[in-house]
Structures are given as structure tokens and as C-alpha cells.
Amino acid sequence: MSGSVNKPVRRRTFVLGTAAAAGSAALAGPLASTAAAAGFGWSDDGSNYVVDTGASLVFKVSKTNGDLASLVYKGTEYQGYGGKNSHIESGLGTSTVTLAQSGSTILVSVTYGTLKLYYAARSGENNVYVWTNKADASVSATRYIVRVKAGLFLNDEPDSYTYAPTTVEASDVFQKSDGQTRSKHYSKLRVIDYDYIGWTTGGVGLWVVRSNHEKASGGPFYRSLLRHQSADGGGLYEILYYGENQTESERYGLQGPYVIAFTDGGAPSSALYHANLTTSPSWADSLGLSGYVPASGRGRVAGVGITGRNTAFAYTVGLANSAAQYWGSARASDGYFSITGVLPGTYTLTVHKGELAVYTTSVTVTAGGTTTLNTIAVPTSNDPGNATAIWRLGDWDGTPGGFKNAALMTYAHPSDVRAAAWTGNVVIGGGGETAAFPAYLWKDVNSGLVVYFRLTAAQAAAAHTLRIGVTTAYANGRPQITVNSWTSSIPSPPAQPSTRSLTVGSYRGNNYTFSYSVPASAWLTDTSQYNVLRIYVVSGSGTTGYLSAGTAVDAIDLLA
């Protein structure tokens, strides 16, 4: 590691689903003449448009394909590794690239088929504002990647594999000599948890401030790669549509701005965070961006409050339809929420306890209007945690939180040396039961885990329902149980993402509850004896080890 301060600074903030950034003035009119090299302006070097922000940043945009070909901050080139520029995916093909300047704004527009990409510079700012318009599926556009030269921000964070020479899985999970694992997938963060991603040396900070993600997919709790670093260089990402463990279809339209920001080592200005503003900056209203909707064309949803909450958990309210997604936090005291900057349309409103959906309804948003909702009452039966249980492992919150290795798995591979053994049985009443039970179950690793428990005579005389909540599954892995000599049927697999999940830092798929009706005849009549519950993972798919069929556990309980 470098001797300077190289810790990646990430701001953890629960944010509203609104768009980003603020400013003033507007660009309009024809192409302006070339400005002087010193100070704010632009030039043409034959291959690129060269934009000088008039601060400490000069950047180049390729006139051939719209790549960001250079990022020079205070005389140092930061752009590029492996002979590649910064761009959408691995770069667009031959594109139409134009530039316009008006007053304090320069706009570079890139058109490639049905996709449009925009870069904007503001006089005196060390920022590049970027918008992407995916009109349809004809052009692949899952991410914008800022590629950074090697050696500038050396670090040994979970998403940096500079010092991890051994490949553990596929070509993107690696292991250090000490047994710790590294991968670009190990960001630790959900979308709702961060405003920006990047690095700092203490003297220079390079960041990508995310957009409001209204045209992305996966909701507020989605996890994906955000950043990576290897011996070849680093990458910072704005996710447009990422398919790893994805639960939603791709959305189309204008996403942004997301901002490439340089600082003197500190965090990017909070003025760039989308949560602090309403929509795109007002100076962008007249840029002529394809698909752009100003603040006046958007609406708001506000809720008076939410009753029926378990105040031990945070609640999030989400809005989603096929065209856009938004979210906001419910106030802890009363459940009040406000979601601004929403495109007009009809949305499914979902109330989440933690990450578990406990209420849905439909709301319609109009341009310039506020849709006000009376107090939402979450029915008791909608929260599985309200059911009376003889015993329970975990909390019904839509996450594997509290189970063994759960926290580690958002930034490490299951084989990581820091992981506790994935095996081990649990005795109800022995203390620490949830922490002793593995967060993930695999057919080839720990299938057949045992839970021991006693019942009273009255409990043993009746049938009971056993529930297993899961948050995602790999290769159709799902639980089948036995209780003493009784065996359940094999349940059908619920809809889950088809990609890797458990090994790439994400438990976030589709929450689902398996229910098993266990007859009274299954229980032991000797109340001094332990009943034996075995949980198996069944599937005809998957391979071996941690890529065998598996699932992530939300909660397990035996109802009274």
C-alpha cells in the first residue's frame, strides 16, 4: 500500500429517490467559437474535443466514439488503463459527436444508434456531468466506467485485487496469500447506502457521484459492483442496468446526471448529491437533452405516516413501474415519508420493513402535483414477524442479518479465511442460536443442517407450520425438511435471478417464504427428548462447492 491516506471514502446516507445536482444558467444557441486555451473553454486537437473547465480539470472527448479519452487534474493524467478509455460498456462504435458552448456551460453530445450520451462542464468546476439515454435494448448499456491509471490510488480494500494473485472463482474472484478474498463485486453497499464512490490519497480525491437511478433497476436494496482496482488500474462505475442477481427488467430513458468529480482529497461537494436537490440542475433545463424532464414536469408522493410498524426496524417506501423507480425513508417517529422528483405515471408503492415488503398499493403521480396519502396501516398479518412462534431463528426483515457470516458475505467469498465454518448444528434454548446458524445453505456444502428443539406435551399433540424465509437462491436451490422420521415434499422453486449471487456479495433476490405443514404424528411424544429438524437443499441444477445450488436465509420459525 501507498504511504499516503488511501482509504476509499463512501458516504452512507439513506436518500430519497430524486434526481441530482444544482446550478444556474442555461446552454442555448449555436456552436460557440473556440475559447482561449487558458481558462474556461474548448479546443479541437483533431481527434478530440478538449474541454478546460477553468479550474484544475481538463478533459478530452473522442470525436470518433464519444469516449472520455483524458482526465487531467492539476497536470496529472488520471484516465485510462490497459489502453482503454472511460466509456459505456467497453466503448461505443463510430458515433456522431458534437459540441456546443453557451456562457458558463459546455455540452458534448454523443449519438450511437438509439443511445445518447452527454458530457457537460461548468466554468470553474472540477466536475464532468454525464447523462445517458438508453432508448431501447438495441445498444447494450449496463454501466459507465471511469478507467483510472494504475498506481494512483493503491489500496487493499475488498474490491481491490491488486495484491490477490490466486483466482478463486470464474475470472473475477481472487484470493490473497493470507486467505482473504477480493473481487470487484465486493462493494458492501446497497444503492440506498451511498451517494458517491471513489478514492482519495489525502491530497486528491476522484469520485463518481451517483445519479438518482430512476432508470436503473433492482430497487433501493440492490447490490452490484461499484468500484474495482487491480495492478492494471482502477474503475469507478455508474450502474445503468446490471444483470448480476437482478430482480427487475431493464428500464429505458435518460439517467443522470452522474458526476465525475475531482477534489483536493475530501469528499465531493454535497451540492452534487441527488438527495439534496429536486431534479437535474436547473442550468440543464435548456440543454436539449433527449428524454429530459425538468422539475416542473415531475411530481411528489407524501405519506402522513405508517402504523403497524415494528420500530426496531427501519422502513423504506419504494415506488416502481416499468419506466422508473424511486424510494424514500419513513420517519422513525411516525412513518412520514416524502418522495420528490417523480416522473408522472402510476406506480406500485411498497412499504419495506428492513428489506421485506409488508404493504403495497397503487399511486398516481402528476406533473407539478403532490399525491398525499393518508396514514398507511400495515396489517398485522402482512408482517410474518408478528406471528406467534414456539421458536424463531433470525428476524423477518428480508435479510440474512444476524446469521453466521451474514455481514462478511457482502464483501467476501464464502471460502474466505475470515468466514466461520458453514457447518454446525443448532440447539434451540442453548443461546446464540441465530448467530450459530449459517446465513447461506448449499447442496454441496452444508445441506442437512440440524436444529434440535423440545416441545411441551400440548405442543406435541398438535400440527404446526414450519416456515423458512429466503432472500435469494442460486441454481434453484430450495429447502426440503425432515422432522424426526417425517419428510416434507420437495417445494417448487420460486422465481429468482439466474446469475451468481451468494458468491459475489449479494443476498438480494426475491424474498420468499416456504411453509411446511408438519402433522402432530411427526413430533416426539417424550417431551424430554429433542425433536430433530434437518434442512436440506434440493435442486437438479448447479455444480459443486459454493456454486452448487444454494439459498440465503431470512428467518426460520415454528409457529405455535
Side-chain angles (χ1 to χ4, degrees), residues 221-241:
F221 313 121
Y222 185 62
R223 295 175 181 270
S224 71
L225 79 168
L226 301 178
R227 187 185 70 166
H228 86 269
Q229 187 164 138
S230 70
D232 297 327
L236 303 175
Y237 299 86
E238 165 75 358
I239 297 301
L240 305 171
Y241 176 78

Side-chain angles (χ1 to χ4, degrees), residues 479-542:
Q480 181 186 27
I481 67 169
T482 66
V483 178
N484 302 316
S485 60
W486 177 84
T487 302
S488 75
S489 60
I490 297 176
S492 299
Q496 295 288 4
S498 60
T499 64
R500 289 179 299 164
S501 53
L502 309 180
T503 60
V504 290
S506 179
Y507 58 78
R508 181 68 282 132
N510 294 311
N511 291 314
Y512 186 84
T513 301
F514 294 92
S515 295
Y516 307 85
S517 297
V518 184
S521 60
W523 314 120
L524 298 179
T525 56
D526 184 348
T527 58
S528 68
Q529 299 296 308
Y530 282 101
N531 291 274
V532 179
L533 165 67
R534 295 183 186 273
I535 303 174
Y536 298 91
V537 177
V538 295
S539 176
S541 304

Side-chain angles (χ1 to χ4, degrees), residues 210-367:
R210 76 166 175 87
S211 71
N212 68 343
H213 278 218
E214 69 181 356
K215 295 297 183 178
S217 300
F221 313 121
Y222 185 62
R223 295 175 181 270
S224 71
L225 79 168
L226 301 178
R227 187 185 70 166
H228 86 269
Q229 187 164 138
S230 70
D232 297 327
L236 303 175
Y237 299 86
E238 165 75 358
I239 297 301
L240 305 171
Y241 176 78
Y242 197 62
E244 198 88 73
N245 210 33
Q246 181 59 256
T247 59
E248 293 186 308
S249 298
E250 187 170 8
R251 293 183 172 93
Y252 302 107
L254 186 69
Q255 179 166 315
Y258 43 102
V259 187
I260 303 167
F262 282 89
T263 71
D264 59 3
S269 169
S270 61
L272 300 176
Y273 305 162
H274 62 87
N276 295 338
L277 305 149
T278 52
T279 64
S280 284
S282 59
W283 54 261
D285 287 358
S286 299
L287 291 179
L289 306 181
S290 173
Y292 181 86
V293 180
S296 60
R298 296 167 178 266
R300 171 175 174 255
V301 176
V304 172
I306 303 172
T307 61
R309 294 175 299 122
N310 181 334
T311 55
F313 297 88
Y315 282 71
T316 302
V317 180
L319 302 176
N321 61 21
S322 62
Q325 61 171 5
Y326 308 90
W327 52 83
S329 298
R331 193 160 60 194
S333 60
D334 56 9
Y336 167 83
F337 61 91
S338 176
I339 304 173
T340 58
V342 181
L343 292 172
T346 299
Y347 294 83
T348 297
L349 180 150
T350 303
V351 176
H352 300 271
K353 170 197 174 187
E355 298 183 21
L356 183 68
V358 293
Y359 179 87
T360 62
T361 190
S362 179
V363 297
T364 298
V365 178
T366 58

Side-chain angles (χ1 to χ4, degrees), residues 388-411:
T388 302
I390 297 172
W391 55 262
R392 176 171 293 146
L393 299 176
D395 293 312
W396 289 95
D397 64 353
T399 83
F403 285 108
K404 182 163 62 175
N405 294 325
L408 179 66
M409 287 302 97
T410 63
Y411 61 94

Side-chain angles (χ1 to χ4, degrees), residues 60-144:
K60 296 180 180 181
V61 178
S62 168
K63 293 166 57 181
T64 301
N65 57 14
D67 280 4
L68 194 59
S70 175
L71 280 169
V72 175
Y73 178 68
K74 293 186 176 180
T76 298
E77 177 66 76
Y78 285 83
Q79 153 58 39
Y81 67 83
K84 296 180 179 180
N85 294 325
S86 299
H87 42 218
I88 290 175
E89 293 297 315
S90 297
L92 304 176
T94 301
S95 306
T96 300
V97 183
T98 60
L99 181 147
Q101 177 181 350
S102 180
S104 59
T105 304
I106 294 173
L107 178 70
V108 180
S109 303
V110 182
T111 301
Y112 177 74
T114 61
L115 184 142
K116 296 184 183 298
L117 172 66
Y118 303 97
Y119 301 96
R122 295 278 290 163
S123 179
E125 296 186 16
N126 291 311
N127 305 316
V128 182
Y129 297 83
V130 189
W131 289 262
T132 308
N133 189 339
K134 305 174 294 176
D136 53 42
S138 63
V139 179
S140 177
T142 67
R143 62 186 180 174
Y144 188 97

